[in-house]
Amino acid sequence: MQDALHFSSSAATTTTSIPLHNPNLPSIPRPKHLNFPSKSPIIPLPPPLKSPVNDIPPVISPATSDNSKIHETLLYLDSLGVDSFYCLNSHPTLISAPVSQIKSTVDFLLSLGVTTQDLRRIFPMCPELLTSSTSKTVIPATTFLLREARVEAADLRHVIHRRPRLLVCSVERQLRPTLYFLQGTIGIDNAGKWASLLSCSVESKFIPRIDYLQKLGFSYRDTIVMFRRFPSLFCYSIKDNFEPKFDYFVVEMGRELKELVAFPQYFSFSLEKRIKPRHRMCVEKGFCLALPTLLKSSEVRFRERLEVCYSSSVPHV
């Protein structure tokens, strides 16, 4: 029996039949059962593309060991009461310093009489001390301070506490040349008393200050005399100290340069808290005191001296 599709129409009563089988076309057998896979087939992904610039994948090194070392370092510094994070932030190479190296330096400092309390100040001031070789840097610098700079053993702790950077300076390139300059050029006999200056640069710190005082009108000889009498002048800022204090000395006080040659300690006193107030008090009383008398005495002693001078100058009726 021949299959046919029937289309019916409301407008026409006739029925058209279209045979499904066309004798001119080849017959295609129907599969009785269609088998569909239960899961989608897995298509392998292509390998990732490599960058033409860096076609070598990055090597991820195991950081567990490094993290353990830095953790041990921080814990050790914390056990001493040292601000470990401050030291690490200001001196990042501390991260690679072995704990054994740090302990060696700590043990050596303690043997010199430095206390644990001192270490809490010393290491943040000079964290480079934590990464410097004890045998190649710290011990030679200490030996130099004691033998060549003539620092008294009893004063060594105070010197290190005040200027720990001395212990990380090279003896050949820094400490010894500076010592020779202070002794030979400036004429300081007891250089050990001014050991903190040994870590300063002759070229960038000492020479510019000598040149500046000469530009102000001091002779070279008087300049050297000033630094010999008061070596701390080398530590003062030209812009923040020398300039404003010298201007006030000349313009407002009307003094002569020879007074500064005799008393260079003038630059060590506060301009706003000591120099200006006392000079104004003297002007009000009509007196001019010598610089040491004006500045060195305590406030009570200064007022007493000024009152005595004023009373003795007032005529009695």
Side-chain angles (χ1 to χ4, degrees):
M1 182 177 180
Q2 188 174 358
D3 296 333
L5 291 178
H6 302 277
F7 295 90
S8 60
S9 173
S10 59
T13 57
T14 60
T15 302
T16 304
S17 299
I18 301 176
L20 293 177
H21 176 69
N22 191 338
N24 297 325
L25 297 176
S27 60
I28 301 175
R30 297 179 184 177
K32 296 182 179 180
H33 301 286
L34 297 177
N35 297 323
F36 295 97
S38 58
K39 298 182 179 180
S40 300
I42 300 175
I43 302 175
L45 296 176
L49 298 177
K50 296 181 180 180
S51 171
V53 178
N54 184 17
D55 58 351
I56 302 176
V59 179
I60 302 176
S61 59
T64 305
S65 177
D66 293 338
N67 290 339
S68 177
K69 289 180 180 179
I70 187 58
H71 184 65
E72 184 181 2
T73 298
L74 296 178
L75 284 179
Y76 177 68
L77 293 178
D78 288 341
S79 69
L80 298 174
V82 177
D83 190 343
S84 58
F85 286 100
Y86 178 85
C87 294
L88 181 61
N89 183 61
S90 57
H91 189 55
T93 56
L94 176 61
I95 197 171
S96 60
V99 180
S100 58
Q101 166 64 47
I102 299 175
K103 289 183 177 180
S104 174
T105 300
V106 170
D107 291 342
F108 176 73
L109 293 176
L110 295 177
S111 70
L112 297 177
V114 175
T115 65
T116 304
Q117 185 69 28
D118 295 332
L119 297 179
R120 296 167 188 171
R121 165 186 163 88
I122 289 173
F123 288 141
M125 284 185 64
C126 183
E128 294 85 355
L129 191 55
L130 293 167
T131 57
S132 298
S133 171
T134 308
S135 59
K136 296 179 180 180
T137 304
V138 181
I139 292 179
T142 305
T143 303
F144 171 85
L145 292 175
L146 292 172
R147 295 182 179 178
E148 297 188 45
R150 303 295 182 182
V151 174
E152 297 291 337
D155 299 331
L156 185 60
R157 175 196 168 193
H158 173 71
V159 170
I160 296 174
H161 186 271
R162 182 181 179 184
R163 191 69 172 174
R165 187 166 298 279
L166 287 166
L167 300 185
V168 299
C169 292
S170 168
V171 173
E172 291 75 16
R173 297 190 301 271
Q174 174 63 48
L175 298 179
R176 188 172 290 122
T178 305
L179 176 65
Y180 289 167
F181 178 84
L182 293 176
Q183 290 177 333
T185 303
I186 306 301
I188 299 176
D189 295 329
N190 187 12
K193 183 180 179 181
W194 306 100
S196 59
L197 294 176
L198 296 176
S199 62
C200 300
S201 170
V202 173
E203 292 76 13
S204 62
K205 194 155 190 172
F206 293 173
I207 299 299
R209 284 156 178 77
I210 293 175
D211 292 341
Y212 178 76
L213 290 186
Q214 289 182 264
K215 291 178 182 178
L216 294 180
F218 297 96
S219 66
Y220 177 77
R221 179 180 177 278
D222 286 343
T223 299
I224 297 302
V225 169
M226 292 173 67
F227 283 104
R228 183 187 307 137
R229 288 176 174 171
F230 191 54
S232 291
L233 281 179
F234 284 124
C235 301
Y236 296 150
S237 168
I238 293 177
K239 181 179 179 180
D240 298 331
N241 190 306
F242 286 174
E243 288 184 2
K245 292 179 182 179
F246 183 80
D247 288 344
Y248 188 82
F249 178 84
V250 174
V251 177
E252 298 296 333
M253 300 177 71
R255 302 266 189 155
E256 297 181 1
L257 298 186
K258 63 181 181 180
E259 293 187 75
L260 290 179
V261 176
F263 189 69
Q265 291 87 343
Y266 163 85
F267 292 100
S268 66
F269 295 96
S270 170
L271 181 60
E272 299 298 331
K273 297 180 180 180
R274 180 68 66 94
I275 299 176
K276 286 185 178 181
R278 294 194 176 185
H279 170 67
R280 289 167 182 166
M281 292 176 65
C282 289
V283 172
E284 292 174 359
K285 299 290 184 179
F287 288 100
C288 180
L289 300 177
L291 288 181
T293 305
L294 176 69
L295 300 174
K296 289 181 65 176
S297 57
S298 65
E299 189 66 22
V300 174
R301 180 61 177 164
F302 168 74
R303 291 179 179 273
E304 290 178 350
R305 177 71 63 86
L306 190 60
E307 192 62 34
V308 169
C309 294
Y310 178 75
S311 300
S312 60
S313 64
V314 176
H316 297 282
V317 179

